[in-house]
Amino acid sequence: MQDYAGERPVVCSAKMSLSPARGGACPNGSPIGCSEVPMEDMKALAIGALSATDIQEQYEHIRQLGKGTYGKVDLVAHRTEGTKLALKFVNKDKTKLRSFLREYSLTSDLGCSPFIIKVLDVLFETEDAYVYGQEYAPAGDLFDIIPPQVGLPEEVAKRCIRQLGLALDFMHGRGLVHRDVKPENVLLFDGECRRVALADLGMARRRAAGRGA
């Protein structure tokens, strides 16, 4: 497995069976989301409706990855392609459509960074939730692997912090602050933190002009 902790990759996208959502253009010409100014005009996004039956026909439900006040995240597999992905369900009674689409579009435009979770071209609504798909992080989140009263081994902690620093630097360079960095929002692709990705940009905001990071 590639270790991302010791270098700053310049590749802007990863090959996936379900394509990453497309945002602006990367500096190297890649069409996968990496615009200098993240898209916040939701007029460009269209959201369709799926029934529970439609979802079952398209995706095989594997298990629930998490659940909270605002919704849940399910691990599913696309029935045709077999690709595993995470479906994030946000309850309609807890958020407005504009806020949901803003989170999706910002995450899409920042997906050029390997240290920020990638959203996929999966975007729809059900009767009671707004839903989008994102890449699946098989090792869970950082909170799950921190032993209580012990903490992470030093080398693992260093790898994690180094990548989170790159993720935040990437956001700050585009005038954005995350505002909700916590272990539950750091997703892991292996238990040793060789690749981690910052997730949940629902509280991200533009940095006020003239203020530092």
Side-chain angles (χ1 to χ4, degrees), residues 91-109:
N91 296 334
K92 288 182 176 180
D93 62 354
K94 296 295 183 181
T95 191
K96 295 180 180 179
L97 176 59
R98 180 175 179 82
S99 297
F100 170 78
L101 292 178
R102 183 180 185 277
E103 176 182 352
Y104 177 83
S105 63
L106 285 177
T107 310
S108 171
D109 281 313

Side-chain angles (χ1 to χ4, degrees), residues 192-211:
E192 297 297 317
C193 292
R194 291 184 175 86
R195 183 192 169 200
V196 308
L198 188 59
D200 200 342
L201 272 65
M203 293 184 65
R205 295 292 183 271
R206 286 204 170 279
R207 192 171 58 212
R211 296 183 63 178

Side-chain angles (χ1 to χ4, degrees), residues 2-201:
Q2 184 174 357
D3 190 337
Y4 286 93
E7 58 186 40
R8 185 192 296 261
V10 295
V11 178
C12 283
S13 64
K15 297 294 183 181
M16 303 181 69
S17 297
L18 291 175
S19 300
R22 294 176 180 271
C26 284
N28 68 356
S30 170
I32 305 301
C34 185
S35 60
E36 288 298 318
V37 180
M39 183 184 71
E40 293 179 77
D41 182 0
M42 270 62 72
K43 293 178 183 178
L45 290 175
I47 183 167
L50 290 182
S51 67
T53 300
D54 293 330
I55 296 173
Q56 291 175 3
E57 288 178 352
Q58 294 189 32
Y59 303 102
E60 175 190 357
H61 183 271
I62 299 174
R63 63 186 174 91
Q64 188 174 95
L65 295 174
K67 187 174 183 179
T69 303
Y70 285 86
K72 65 175 182 175
V73 180
D74 285 348
L75 174 62
V76 302
H78 192 273
R79 291 191 183 278
T80 302
E81 299 187 18
T83 307
K84 290 183 179 180
L85 65 150
L87 286 182
K88 182 173 182 178
F89 292 75
V90 181
N91 296 334
K92 288 182 176 180
D93 62 354
K94 296 295 183 181
T95 191
K96 295 180 180 179
L97 176 59
R98 180 175 179 82
S99 297
F100 170 78
L101 292 178
R102 183 180 185 277
E103 176 182 352
Y104 177 83
S105 63
L106 285 177
T107 310
S108 171
D109 281 313
L110 294 170
C112 171
S113 169
F115 311 112
I116 296 176
I117 202 72
K118 290 176 174 58
V119 295
L120 309 173
D121 277 327
V122 176
L123 181 67
F124 60 91
E125 65 177 318
T126 66
E127 184 177 350
D128 55 8
Y130 301 118
V131 188
Y132 69 74
Q134 66 183 29
E135 63 180 328
Y136 169 49
D141 62 49
L142 183 59
F143 183 84
D144 293 335
I145 69 165
I146 300 177
Q149 310 302 321
V150 177
L152 294 173
E154 182 177 351
E155 286 305 311
V156 174
K158 285 181 178 178
R159 281 197 292 268
C160 182
I161 293 299
R162 192 175 298 126
Q163 293 173 80
L164 286 179
L166 292 172
L168 293 172
D169 181 65
F170 187 83
M171 291 187 67
H172 295 170
R174 282 151 180 77
L176 293 165
V177 289
H178 188 280
R179 299 176 69 235
D180 195 24
V181 179
K182 57 186 178 182
E184 293 90 336
N185 289 338
V186 179
L187 302 183
L188 313 179
F189 290 79
D190 66 275
E192 297 297 317
C193 292
R194 291 184 175 86
R195 183 192 169 200
V196 308
L198 188 59
D200 200 342
L201 272 65

